[in-house]
Amino acid sequence: MKVIICGAGQVGWQIARHLSGELNDVTVVDNNPDLVRRATDTLDVQGIAGFASYPDVLDRAGARDADMIIAATYSDEVNMVTCQVAHSVFGIQRKIARLRSQSYLTAIYSDLYRRDHLPIDVVISPEREVAAAAMQRLSAPAAFDTETFMDGQAQLLGIVIHEDCPIVNTPLRQLTDLFSTLRSIVVGVRREGTLFAPEPGDQLFVGDQCYVFAHVEDVSRTMDVFGKTQKKQDRVVIVGGGNVGLEVAKTLEDQEKRIRSKVIERDRPSAERAAEELERTIVLNGDGLDAALLKEAGIERADAMLAVTDDDKTNMLAAVRAKAEGCPLAIALINDPTLVPLMKPMGIDAYINPRATTVSSILRHIRHGRVRQVYSIGDAEAEVIEAEVLSTSPMAGARLRDIDFPEGVLVGAVRKGDEVLRPTGGLRIDEGDVVAIFSMTDDVPEVERLMQVSIDFF
């Protein structure tokens, strides 16, 4: 597949890294020559320096025979014009655009993106993706990472193994015998900074970060097995009232169960806008690092604090301050992945990586076969891929034990009809089943081969 990626920032670079690693023909376009050089020096991609919306620049990038264009520059307008030029001049079939402005995303204006208007096939909103990720974190406060799959019927949980974990030093194969009715499976383990897919004989040690795939009805029991207690979130303080914070606050207001939330926003116009758009949420204008203002927001009584400003360091310090004031759960928005190792020593419970969520959203619309969802783990170290099994897939009609999965691949769950099942060696995979697969990044091409459909499906 020939793909043009417009924008060589963190999101564009990560997408290029994924696609080039899977032997796609990738060209990166950016008006910053240094970013283009970084991409061509570190990845197996071609690079063009220039404005992505210019027809001659896209022509030099190979737009005449490209299969897809991904517009992920920092400008919404450039991304929109790029898709229009790609469609009108070059006839590129698949167009994906990242749009930040909420005005472009309002449902009543959705006709804007029709093929005969502004032809964009997929619109990705980082703010909405991050807000959804924040809600996921709040839904499982004892987990450092979480994502839902299979239409909300299954959940991926990131769990840190502590001394009080009942299953420390227990081989994973014994967990099946000990908890025979528990629909959950450990699909990934990070130990001393290295992520891997565990073998049945592997044990979990104190300090491990493990990724567990569980049926949504068994999440609470799974957390109990791992020594974690779940507490409902009734009071939430949000530091940052910009697009992300506002989206989170709106989502909290829409919950069936009443959640009391307060927003702290330093910029007065942004605070006033948030106050106008929110109905039941109190908005405070001031510095989220101010101890007095946090106290006024009731941080010592809050069940959780979300720091979602556009500054990583502010988010980290606000989370540390909240913990110092007695808040049991602090979650920080972190753009720079190099800051993530500081989370644990600073006592921050969980983080949200907006670029990783955006990358996951874009990858969801790129994968071969009937891919329904893709979730990127860590610094693009692994993916969880949810896909429908078609009749042309090598998996169709085979039992799990007979499928030649690479060492870095584990099946997390299988859905047959409306029933989500824990994977066992004797489970037969049939056409129409939905599978969720944990795969190390290097093994993703092989997973795609297993899910690959024939040319008749394109």
Side-chain angles (χ1 to χ4, degrees), residues 126-395:
E127 282 74 16
R128 290 186 177 179
E129 298 293 338
V130 169
M135 295 305 298
Q136 292 290 341
R137 296 293 186 276
L138 290 174
S139 68
F144 68 84
D145 197 0
T146 180
E147 179 64 40
T148 58
F149 292 86
M150 298 183 171
D151 298 324
Q153 289 183 279
Q155 199 162 0
L156 180 72
L157 303 166
I159 303 173
V160 178
I161 305 300
H162 291 133
E163 292 84 353
D164 57 353
C165 177
I167 58 173
V168 168
N169 302 330
T170 303
L172 294 179
R173 66 163 60 92
Q174 290 187 17
L175 297 183
T176 303
D177 300 329
L178 292 171
F179 308 100
S180 58
T181 61
L182 184 65
R183 291 167 293 180
S184 67
I185 181 173
V186 178
V187 293
V189 176
R190 187 189 304 280
R191 182 173 297 154
E192 297 179 354
T194 301
L195 183 67
F196 62 93
E199 297 285 341
D202 286 339
Q203 302 176 30
L204 297 179
F205 301 124
V206 174
D208 285 353
Q209 294 180 343
C210 62
Y211 289 89
V212 184
F213 209 91
H215 192 291
V216 68
E217 295 176 359
D218 290 354
V219 167
S220 294
R221 188 178 166 209
T222 299
M223 298 301 281
D224 289 339
V225 167
F226 282 83
K228 306 294 181 182
T229 56
Q230 295 278 81
K231 182 182 177 183
K232 293 182 179 180
Q233 310 300 304
D234 296 321
R235 295 182 175 88
V236 177
V237 175
I238 302 169
V239 176
N243 287 336
V244 174
L246 184 56
E247 190 72 26
V248 173
K250 286 181 177 178
T251 305
L252 290 173
E253 285 191 343
D254 292 338
Q255 297 292 300
E256 291 184 11
K257 182 181 180 301
R258 177 73 183 273
I259 298 177
R260 301 176 184 176
S261 59
K262 295 181 181 179
V263 173
I264 300 175
E265 170 55 45
R266 184 172 186 172
D267 179 66
R268 187 168 185 82
S270 296
E272 291 175 348
R273 180 174 74 103
E276 289 175 1
E277 296 193 30
L278 295 169
E279 297 178 3
R280 302 190 305 272
T281 304
I282 296 174
V283 179
L284 303 175
N285 179 217
D287 190 348
L289 296 177
D290 187 334
L293 189 59
L294 284 171
K295 190 174 184 65
E296 182 181 345
I299 194 66
E300 72 281 357
R301 299 188 306 276
D303 299 306
M305 191 281 293
L306 288 170
V308 291
T309 75
D310 56 5
D311 183 80
D312 288 356
K313 296 178 179 63
T314 297
N315 294 338
M316 294 170 69
L317 291 174
V320 172
R321 172 77 78 178
K323 295 290 286 187
E325 296 295 330
C327 184
L329 177 67
I331 302 171
L333 184 70
I334 303 295
N335 286 278
D336 184 355
T338 64
L339 295 175
V340 171
L342 299 177
M343 299 292 101
K344 184 176 179 180
M346 295 179 73
I348 300 173
D349 301 290
Y351 70 95
I352 303 167
N353 184 335
R355 287 170 179 152
T357 60
T358 304
V359 167
S360 295
S361 299
I362 294 174
L363 287 175
R364 190 181 311 153
H365 299 283
I366 293 175
R367 295 292 183 223
H368 297 299
R370 293 280 181 88
V371 173
R372 297 156 52 92
Q373 186 168 350
V374 177
Y375 184 64
S376 180
I377 292 178
D379 187 16
E381 299 159 276
E383 294 179 12
V384 178
I385 303 170
E386 177 189 327
E388 180 185 342
V389 177
L390 300 178
S391 60
T392 48
S393 166
M395 297 172 61

Side-chain angles (χ1 to χ4, degrees), residues 422-457:
R422 182 173 64 178
T424 59
L427 183 63
R428 175 189 168 99
I429 303 299
D430 297 310
E431 176 187 356
D433 290 351
V434 176
V435 296
I437 298 175
F438 172 94
S439 173
M440 300 301 295
T441 299
D442 291 343
D443 296 314
V444 166
E446 178 61 15
V447 172
E448 285 207 300
R449 186 193 69 80
L450 290 171
M451 301 306 304
Q452 183 70 50
V453 296
S454 71
I455 194 67
D456 298 335
F457 281 92

